[in-house]
Structure formats: structure tokens, C-alpha cells
Amino acid sequence: MQRASRLKRELQMLSTEPPPGISCWQAEERIDELRAQIVGGTETPYEGGIFTLEIKVPERYPFEPPNIRFLTPIYHPNIDTSGRICHDALKVPPKGAWKPSLNISTVLTSIQLLMAEPNPDDPLMPDISSEFKYNKHLFVEKARKWTQEHAFQKNKGAMDDTKENIPDQKALCRKRDAAHKEGETAKRFCM
């Protein structure tokens, strides 16, 4: 019960005050299965890309972190080819930094930051990490190519293998803003 009420509050917060470049919504009727999109940051090799993530919320949430993985392929030292993410906020102590005070919004924001600033000293992909450290130009070139191939809207069908209808971020935010002006805060558009 605690998990459901907290998730509803978090989803409401994500719909009314989403972090810049991030959207999150329920994937199915189940509240513990979510999808998110992160827009690649400017002046990064991911600029212009829209990356879709899968979020599974465990039964013990918020005492355990959500399980998050990229559905959109991304060339990154801390994200493997299955979409798994090496990030402290996604692991419980002593090896991780997850705390019940964190939430899905803060974790998605930290993943967005990790995209912009990879941590080559804690890689999931050692070869990409080595490339990032010692041949950054080649890393940037490959990361841009992957972004163009997998994360650009013109390739929406190739974004991921789920074939879901993924909401358009700008359209959802326009709807959210219009609803907010009309006082319809109970509707969740930007999720």
C-alpha cells in the first residue's frame, strides 16, 4: 500500500513538474511498470536523441531502488548492450548509494547526468571505457553514430524493440501546460 501511494505521488510530481528533458509514464495499467524518456543533452554525443528506458518498481520500494534499463541502444561506458546501467543510485549500500529519500525523478536526473558525464573508472563496458579515456574523438564519433541510428525521432520504429506508442514529449507537455492553466491538475499528461 505504501509503495502504491508513493508511486502515485511521484508520477503526479513527474507530470506536473518534470525535470528538464525527462518524461515518465505508466507502461501498462500496472503502476509498478513505467517507461521514461531522456532527451540527450546539448553538446554531448547524445544531443538530439530521445532515449527510452524501462522502469520496474520492486515490491519493497522505496527501500529498494527501481530496476531501470535503457530500451534504446546507447554507446556508453556505463551502459551495456542489454541496457543495464552501472550507477550508484541504482544499488543498495554498502556497494551503492540508494536511499529511500531518493525517488524516480532524482534517479532519472542522475542517469541524464551520467549520460553527459560518463564514469570511465566504473565501467560496464571496459572497451568503451578505454576508448573514452584514451581515444575520446573515436568514442564521440561512435556515440553520435549510435544516437543517429537508434535515438532520432525519424527512426522512431527503430528506437526500441517494444514497438509501443511512445508519447511525443513536446505534445504531452503542451497538453500538460494547457490542462494546468485550466486547473485540471489531476490529469497526468507528461508521463
Side-chain angles (χ1 to χ4, degrees), residues 90-110:
L90 296 174
K91 298 180 256 181
V92 293
K95 293 184 177 184
W98 174 259
K99 299 182 267 193
S101 60
L102 296 176
N103 59 40
I104 291 169
S105 179
T106 57
V107 171
L108 289 172
T109 302
S110 67

Side-chain angles (χ1 to χ4, degrees), residues 54-141:
E54 171 187 78
I55 304 169
K56 292 189 177 179
V57 183
E59 194 66 40
R60 290 190 22 85
Y61 182 81
F63 303 104
E64 288 180 14
N67 298 309
I68 303 177
R69 73 179 185 98
F70 276 79
L71 296 176
T72 305
I74 181 170
Y75 193 80
H76 194 284
N78 306 107
I79 303 163
D80 71 10
T81 54
S82 300
R84 293 178 302 170
I85 306 163
C86 182
H87 194 299
D88 286 348
L90 296 174
K91 298 180 256 181
V92 293
K95 293 184 177 184
W98 174 259
K99 299 182 267 193
S101 60
L102 296 176
N103 59 40
I104 291 169
S105 179
T106 57
V107 171
L108 289 172
T109 302
S110 67
I111 291 170
Q112 185 182 45
L113 181 60
L114 180 69
M115 287 171 65
E117 298 176 17
N119 179 1
D121 297 324
D122 188 21
L124 267 182
M125 304 295 286
D127 52 336
I128 297 175
S129 175
S130 178
E131 195 172 86
F132 180 83
K133 283 180 173 179
Y134 305 113
N135 193 349
K136 196 159 188 174
H137 176 74
L138 182 60
F139 163 79
V140 168
E141 186 179 302

